[in-house]
Each structure stands twice: as C-alpha cells, then as structure tokens.
C-alpha cells in the first residue's frame, strides 16, 4: 500500500506539481493552484526557451490586445512558489516516468500543434499548406521559420470556417503598412510586401449558421482597405433546421454573423481585390503538375436535425483556379511519449482532467488541461475554467497521492547531470528585452527571435547562471 498523504499541501509537505507547457491553459492551471489554500511548489516545463505558447505563436500579430494576457502570466511566473524551466521538453530532456517519480502531480498543458488534413487527391502539391504552418511562420515559431509561401500567385483559397481561417485571410489581405507596427516577423513582412494575391476564396462545408467564426472577426474582413467581401445572396437562404438553430441561444453568434453576411451580400463588386465567401462547398480534388493550379469543389448539403446538421455531398462540382491553398480545419494534439493517447479524439484520454489509461483506469497523479484535454476549441479565456476544473480534481485526489516526492531538486539534478541549458524566467525576460530592443529599430513592439540558438544567446545576457 502506498503511503497516504492527508497533509499534502501543508508547510511540512508542500504539494509539488509539474506543469508541462506554458500556454494559456498551463498558466491558468498554475494560477488556480496558487490561488488555492495549499502550500505549493510549481515547476513549469516548456520545450522552447520562450513562454506563452498559443499567445505568442497563435494569436495574430494585428490582434495585440489579445496578447495583453501575458502580463497576468508574467506575474504568475514571478511568484516565489513558481519556477519556469524553459528549453526543457517532455520526452526529449525528461521522461514522463521521471516526472511521475519527482512530483506529486503532473498537469499536461501541451495544446495542439498538428493540423487536420483534407484527405483529397493532390494534397501533396506545392502551394498546398496547413494554415497552422502559415500562422507559425508569420508569428516566428522556430519550426516554421524556414517555410516558403509563394505569394507571387494571384488566387488563394482558405478552407475552413473558423477564426484561424479568417486570420489567414486577413493577414494575406491586410495592407502591409498596417502590419509594420505589429510584432509580425520581418521575413513574413518582406514576403507579404511583395505579395500579388488579389483574390481569396474562403470555402467551408456547412452553411452560414454553422460557420464557427465569431462576428468580430468576420466583420473585420469587411474593413480591409482595398478589398471587398463577396457573398452570393443565395447562400444565405436557410433550410428549416438552420432557421430553428438561429432561435437557440447557442447560435447567438450565428445570428450576428448572418447580419454581417447579408451586408456583404449587398456589396456591389467594385474593389480591385476580393474575398469570396463560399458555403456548402468542399475541395474534392486538387490538380496541377507539381504545383497547385486548380481546386475542384464538391457541393454539399446539410442533413440532420437542428444543432446536429452535417455536410453531405450533393453531387455538383465546380472549379476555381487557385495556386495557393491553406487548409484550416482545426488543430490536433500530438501524442506524448510515455502517456496514453486517444487517436480518435486527438486528446489525452481523461475524465474532467484526470488522465485515464486505454482501459479507462485513472492514471494516478496525471492531469490534463486546455486543448490537449478537451480538443482545440474556445478562446484564450475558455482555458481558465478548464484549468480550474482540472486543479479541483487534483485537489480532490490529494489524500490518495503518495507523499514522498523530491520535486524541483530532483529535476535540477537530472538536467544538471546532462549539463542541460535551462532557461529561467529571468532569462526569458532578457530574451524579451532583446526582442523589444530589436523591435525599436523598426518601430515595432518586438522583433521576435525565430531560432532557438538566437533565443539561448539572448538568454545569456540575463546574468542568471
Ligand atoms: P474551428 O473554429 O474549430 O474551425 C474549424 C473549421 O474546420 C470548421 O469550419 C470545421 O467545419 C472545419 N472542418 C473541420 N474538419 C473538417 C473536415 N474534415 N472537412 C471540412 N471541414 C472541416 O478551428 P480553428 O479555426 O482552427 O480555431 C481553433 C480555436 O481557436 C477556435 O475556438 C477559435 O475560435 C479560436 N481562435 C480564436 C481567434 C480569435 O479570438 N480571434 C483566432 C484564432 C482562433 P465543421 O464545423 O463543419 O466541422
């Protein structure tokens, strides 16, 4: 029998928790632990030398307000009960079994880095990209730094009806002078400055009521200088089920979207550049010799009861000669070495945040929060409640957790033994100062480092050894 620990979380027996991942859900989990009445020691490990995950690498550079949440995260990180271990990856530098031996509890908050595929002929062609790769590229994610997007093409297509699809459309279309004062990476700015894209098709399989984008983001498309949004009014005719959906509070955003789309549909085509919104269409084949030249779209119709309507092919086909395509069908989490994974749902199998084995047994001391727990949905703030739920499960489990865990000293021992360069939060602050100083030269809030080696070099100026 393992030792019972009624006193876990007290001065004699601080609760030692590792949080894996430093995006919003990881920081909200740390916040929830810090706000509990427990005596805690929180160690957050992050594979990159820089924190904030989706806020740094997912939020669009022209949506700076959304990034202001990092001020809250920075405050959490400077709490004496918290320590940041940047440049430390689960599976690369430390194993799941090591963390289990070191900490009373481990909260996995690794988000969702992969993208869903279209699964159609021709998806391998040059010019076909994941929206997540484009987003990572313009936001300076190290693994996307060397990607190339051929913006010398006239016609682009974005597939998907979520906010990421809208972000991609907007960044492709926004006058570069409006992006210059953001923290967009210089390589993206240079490429966008010579972009020839003048026609963008935003394509989705369901109708205007089922589209996932939010009204604020949709409305913003209509404000892009020199561009016009084109919608075929016939697409806004709703079937009975969609009309019923609109009456439900869960579809309040859809009613607003519909109003915006009706205004777009009344536009007379007059601008030189256009964004065409297509509903009830999906690519069924991509053609080209080596490089994308043409997208074949299959018409879709909705089938099923209100709130559960799915798109099914209706037979008709049409083509659009697009040379660039970004698939934006949502993100997917990656399996983590040593931990169970639900391939079908693309998440860590869990019940309200408690990890479970394939056989449905609770994996004692292991928890998940954020996108790796519930899938890639919701806004940044959604993760707060999600993390509160996970932490409340953890707190409820305290009496059943083994007490003898060495925590931070053991982690430092293992990483020190490998002479591993740990990036402390003070090091990150030095990286951030260096990025801001680089930004000043170009009148930008920051010029991000896009290579891990550059980040580590900037960390050396922190004075922390
Ligand atoms: P999303 O909102 O889930 O949208 C994914 C889109 O892909 C949906 O239109 C979905 O259609 C479609 N899709 C999925 N699988 C498909 C398939 N096999 N074939 C065809 N279409 C498929 O995902 P997201 O745009 O990646 O955004 C992720 C989350 O981040 C969302 O919660 C979003 O609101 C948030 N976000 C927020 C902001 C912001 O606040 N400004 C910016 C970016 C992202 P169905 O509905 O038919 O499945």
């Amino acid at each position: 029998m393992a030792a019972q620990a009624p006193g876990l979380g007290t001065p004699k027996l601080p609760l030692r928790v590792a949080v894996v991942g430093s995006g919003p859900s990881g920081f909200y989990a740390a916040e929830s632990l810090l706000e509990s009445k427990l005596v805690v020691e929180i160690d957050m490990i992050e594979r990159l030398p820089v924190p904030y995950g989706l806020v740094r690498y997912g939020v669009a550079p022209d949506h700076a307000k959304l990034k202001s949440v990092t001020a809250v995260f920075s405050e959490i990180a400077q709490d004496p009960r918290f320590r940041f271990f940047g440049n430390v990856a689960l599976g690369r530098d430390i194993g799941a079994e090591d963390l289990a031996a070191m900490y009373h509890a481990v909260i996995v908050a690794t988000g969702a880095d992969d993208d869903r595929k279209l699964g159609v002929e021709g998806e391998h062609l040059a010019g076909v990209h994941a929206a997540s790769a484009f987003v990572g590229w313009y936001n300076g994610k190290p693994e996307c730094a060397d990607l190339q997007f051929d913006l010398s093409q006239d016609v682009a297509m974005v597939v998907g009806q979520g906010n990421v699809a809208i972000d991609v459309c907007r960044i492709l279309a926004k006058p570069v002078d409006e992006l210059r004062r953001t923290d967009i990476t210089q390589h993206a700015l240079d490429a966008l400055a010579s972009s020839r894209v003048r026609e963008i098709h935003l394509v989705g399989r369901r109708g205007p009521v089922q589209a996932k984008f939010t009204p604020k983001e949709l409305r913003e498309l209509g404000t892009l200088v020199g561009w016009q949004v084109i919608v075929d009014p016939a697409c806004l005719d709703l079937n009975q089920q969609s009309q019923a959906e609109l009456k439900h509070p869960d579809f309040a955003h859809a009613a607003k979207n519909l109003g915006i789309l009706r205004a777009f549909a009344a536009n007379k085509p007059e601008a030189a550049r256009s964004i065409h919104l297509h509903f009830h269409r999906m690519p069924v084949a991509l053609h080209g010799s080596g490089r994308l030249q043409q997208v074949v779209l299959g018409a879709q119709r909705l089938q099923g009861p209100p709130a559960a309507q799915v798109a099914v092919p209706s037979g008709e086909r049409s083509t659009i000669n697009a040379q660039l395509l970004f698939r934006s069908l949502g993100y997917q989490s990656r399996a983590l070495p040593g931990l169970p994974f639900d391939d079908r749902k693309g998440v860590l199998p869990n019940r309200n945040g408690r990890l479970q084995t394939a056989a449905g047994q609770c994996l004692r001391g292991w928890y998940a929060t954020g996108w790796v727990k519930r899938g890639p949905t919701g806004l940044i703030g959604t993760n707060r409640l999600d993390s509160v739920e996970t932490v409340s499960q953890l707190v409820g489990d305290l009496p059943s957790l083994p007490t003898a865990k060495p925590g931070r000293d053991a982690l430092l021992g293992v990483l020190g033994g490998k002479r591993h360069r740990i990036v402390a939060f003070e090091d990150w602050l030095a990286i951030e100062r260096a990025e801001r100083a680089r930004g000043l030269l170009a009148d930008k809030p920051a010029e991000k480092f896009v290579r891990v080696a550059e980040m580590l070099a900037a960390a050396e100026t922190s004075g922390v050894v």
Side-chain angles (χ1 to χ4, degrees), residues 134-157:
F134 188 62
V135 171
W137 172 76
Y138 63 63
N139 276 331
K141 200 172 182 181
E143 48 266 57
C144 301
D146 294 320
L147 298 179
Q148 303 280 336
F149 298 93
D150 181 2
L151 304 179
S152 68
Q153 309 296 336
D154 288 343
V155 184
M157 180 176 290

Side-chain angles (χ1 to χ4, degrees), residues 16-21 41-45 81-85 99 103 105 107 406-409 411-412:
R16 298 183 163 129
V17 182
V19 177
V20 184
E41 286 173 13
I42 304 165
D43 292 339
M44 176 179 277
I45 71 167
R81 296 167 289 171
F82 178 101
R83 190 142 157 194
F84 180 69
F85 288 79
L99 291 181
Y103 292 91
I107 302 178
R408 187 170 299 164
D409 288 346
L411 180 63
L412 285 168

Side-chain angles (χ1 to χ4, degrees), residues 3 63 94 152 155 162 194-195 218 235 240-241 249 251 270 313 437 451:
H63 282 176
I94 197 84
S152 68
V155 184
S194 52
S195 168
L218 180 61
C235 295
Q240 275 188 350
Q241 293 89 322
F251 284 79
E270 46 198 24
R451 312 223 174 256

Side-chain angles (χ1 to χ4, degrees), residues 136-140 144-146 185-192 447 450:
W137 172 76
Y138 63 63
N139 276 331
C144 301
D146 294 320
T185 50
Q186 192 58 45
H187 61 232
L189 207 48
D190 292 343
L192 289 164
E447 184 63 55
V450 300

